[in-house]
Amino acid sequence: MDQRFQIILANFRLEGTPVSCERYGFGHINETYLVVTDVSHRYILQKINNHVFQDVPALMQNISAVTAFLKTQEADPRRVLQLIPTTENSSFLENSDGFWRVYDFIEDSICLQLPEVPEDFYESAVAFGRFQQMLGAFPAETLHETILNFHNTADRYRQLHIAIQNDAVGRLSSVQQEIDFALAREAEAGTLVDMQKKGLLPLRVTHNDTKLNNVMLDSTTRKALCVIDLDTVMPGLSAYDFGDSIRFGAATAGEDETDLSKMEMSLELFQVYATGFLSACPGLTKTEKEVLPLGAKLMTLECGVRFLTDYLNGDKYFSIHRENHNLDRCRTQFKLVADMENKWEQMQHIIQSI
Ligand code: ADP
Ligand code: GN1
Ligand code: MG
């Protein structure tokens, strides 16, 4: 095992001595490693991306506070993400290389990139719905905004315009179609934020990155276990959490798919998720419920705009694994938006009928 990791891990209160530390998972933001010790205890070590999250201590304060609050409501350790403290009782370690944290590994669990059966998606809806419901009494105003304007779609357009102006790596001429698609929908971008400002939608503690691969299911029962990846937990709108899940999990193809003919939004999966989410999170207001389809559309549009912006900027934010990766991702998102527009009435009908 690399000495660099031995030194880092020696700072955490682990059971046993680490014997291996390997890259793990499919996240786009942090560097994640699976650690195994000589007493077969497993941990997740993460190097926190401090370019994306510029105030790591504030982010770790959020995670410590939220996991501590969840623990007062849930006794089963596999159902709440568990931070392992350092020998100095801190929630993270800072060294010359960056910021590091360790979580207990959630054993006998699975983490999916796409639902294998509709029930998997239903269970992820239950996990995220329950997460929001359990945090209903948490004082949202005490949380730090770990990324300013994270789901402010209009602000994401502002960043797209800057990227277009700069054309930093000369890719602008090759993406005119995608830019036209985005700009044709710009007027809608501010709708949810404006409704919140007018007091029509309440601010809640939201997860803000509710992809299927940020929830763990029990590998035997396949029931919802635990929500992970809490870096973006902050005050937000319920439509963000609902919408981002639909974007990722109700899609018939992955975010990286290059064959766009495979990419649609499944109305069946939309209904499955909405049923699970609303059953686990019954406290939504009438207006919050009504804007759930809009949440799905805006989160998908926003994500496409973010991938396009990053493509124009020269792939500075999302890790890429091949040429044009961010452009391919942008295209899947826009195809999904177009499909939602075609299915708009059915989406609304499904929500009304639950
Ligand atoms: P990123 O922000 O880069 O997406 P995540 O926190 O989502 O990082 O972690 C990446 C992957 O590592 C997850 O999708 C999951 O497969 C795995 N993972 C993270 N935390 C745990 C944990 N506590 N137990 C088991 N697997 C985990
Ligand atoms: C990032 O961290 P990860 O891979 O779960 C991103 C999300 C995007 C997603 C697209 C902090 O999520 O906002 O929707 O990629 N997270 C951050 O796959 O920017
Ligand atoms: Mg993740």
Side-chain angles (χ1 to χ4, degrees):
M1 195 182 121
D2 196 326
Q3 207 198 348
R4 170 181 167 228
F5 291 118
Q6 265 166 6
I7 295 170
I8 291 164
L9 289 164
N11 288 279
F12 289 89
R13 294 179 191 262
L14 307 184
E15 267 180 50
T17 304
V19 290
S20 70
C21 178
E22 310 281 345
R23 268 309 275 269
Y24 190 76
F26 298 94
H28 294 156
I29 301 296
N30 298 308
E31 265 175 43
T32 301
Y33 300 84
L34 173 66
V35 176
V36 185
T37 71
D38 59 353
V39 293
S40 299
H41 202 108
R42 303 205 287 176
Y43 296 95
I44 288 286
L45 168 72
Q46 283 182 325
K47 181 171 185 215
I48 305 165
N49 185 327
N50 63 317
H51 299 287
V52 168
F53 300 104
Q54 293 182 357
D55 188 349
V56 173
L59 173 150
M60 292 308 297
Q61 250 178 40
N62 277 3
I63 298 182
S64 302
V66 163
T67 52
F69 187 88
L70 290 172
K71 248 192 267 173
T72 62
Q73 299 179 50
E74 177 58 71
D76 181 348
R78 285 167 74 227
R79 290 180 176 275
V80 181
L81 199 57
Q82 164 92 31
L83 276 167
I84 305 296
T86 67
T87 49
E88 297 192 346
N89 264 331
S90 170
S91 58
F92 66 95
L93 172 77
E94 183 181 0
N95 70 1
S96 56
D97 210 15
F99 296 87
W100 301 86
R101 69 177 164 222
V102 175
Y103 289 116
D104 215 3
F105 190 87
I106 299 163
E107 294 292 351
D108 306 314
S109 67
I110 49 170
C111 174
L112 298 171
Q113 301 305 315
L114 272 181
E116 285 167 12
V117 288
E119 288 73 22
D120 294 336
F121 196 40
Y122 180 88
E123 286 303 321
S124 79
V126 169
F128 285 120
R130 196 189 281 157
F131 181 82
Q132 201 173 110
Q133 186 74 18
M134 278 165 83
L135 289 166
F138 186 96
E141 68 285 354
T142 61
L143 288 176
H144 305 279
E145 216 176 321
T146 55
I147 299 180
L148 284 181
N149 290 318
F150 189 61
H151 280 319
N152 183 337
T153 312
D155 195 70
R156 297 295 185 175
Y157 268 90
R158 186 184 62 78
Q159 296 179 37
L160 173 63
H161 283 291
I162 296 173
I164 293 172
Q165 289 270 305
N166 292 345
D167 190 17
V169 287
R171 290 175 171 174
L172 183 61
S173 56
S174 63
V175 295
Q176 199 50 52
Q177 227 181 317
E178 287 71 28
I179 289 176
D180 291 346
F181 184 95
L183 297 186
R185 289 153 183 83
E186 186 168 7
E188 252 182 299
T191 316
L192 288 173
V193 172
D194 290 345
M195 288 177 80
Q196 189 264 317
K197 281 187 190 144
K198 286 183 193 147
L200 299 172
L201 293 172
L203 213 51
R204 299 194 180 272
V205 177
T206 46
H207 181 282
N208 297 306
D209 189 7
T210 51
K211 301 199 294 194
L212 183 68
N213 67 10
N214 283 334
V215 61
M216 310 302 293
L217 306 181
D218 185 293
S219 53
T220 312
T221 64
R222 285 184 99 99
K223 295 278 180 210
L225 256 189
C226 182
V227 166
I228 61 168
D229 202 348
L230 305 181
D231 296 329
T232 48
V233 171
M234 48 188 152
L237 301 179
S238 50
Y240 298 161
D241 276 4
F242 177 83
D244 202 38
S245 290
I246 297 301
R247 174 189 80 73
F248 193 80
T252 54
E255 213 170 64
D256 299 343
E257 180 60 56
T258 50
D259 179 355
L260 290 181
S261 69
K262 291 187 183 156
M263 185 50 128
E264 282 179 32
M265 196 213 54
S266 155
L267 281 170
E268 185 204 350
L269 289 175
F270 180 82
Q271 172 151 28
V272 162
Y273 193 90
T275 308
F277 188 76
L278 288 170
S279 71
C281 188
L284 298 194
T285 67
K286 185 166 169 283
T287 314
E288 274 184 299
K289 204 177 146 188
E290 276 165 13
V291 298
L292 293 178
L294 185 61
K297 181 176 164 185
L298 286 188
M299 287 302 99
T300 312
L301 180 63
E302 175 187 288
C303 198
V305 165
R306 292 175 64 195
F307 287 138
L308 181 58
T309 305
D310 200 36
Y311 182 72
L312 288 171
N313 288 341
D315 310 309
K316 296 272 186 271
Y317 188 93
F318 296 105
S319 18
I320 55 161
H321 309 296
R322 58 173 192 248
E323 216 185 317
N324 294 339
H325 202 163
N326 274 318
L327 180 58
D328 292 339
R329 289 168 173 155
C330 159
R331 288 180 172 152
T332 60
Q333 300 309 292
F334 287 175
K335 171 74 197 294
L336 205 51
V337 170
D339 196 50
M340 287 181 193
E341 288 171 347
N342 290 333
K343 294 172 176 164
W344 196 241
E345 262 120 62
Q346 288 122 296
M347 286 166 74
Q348 286 184 309
H349 178 75
I350 287 170
I351 295 294
Q352 279 155 17
S353 67
I354 298 172

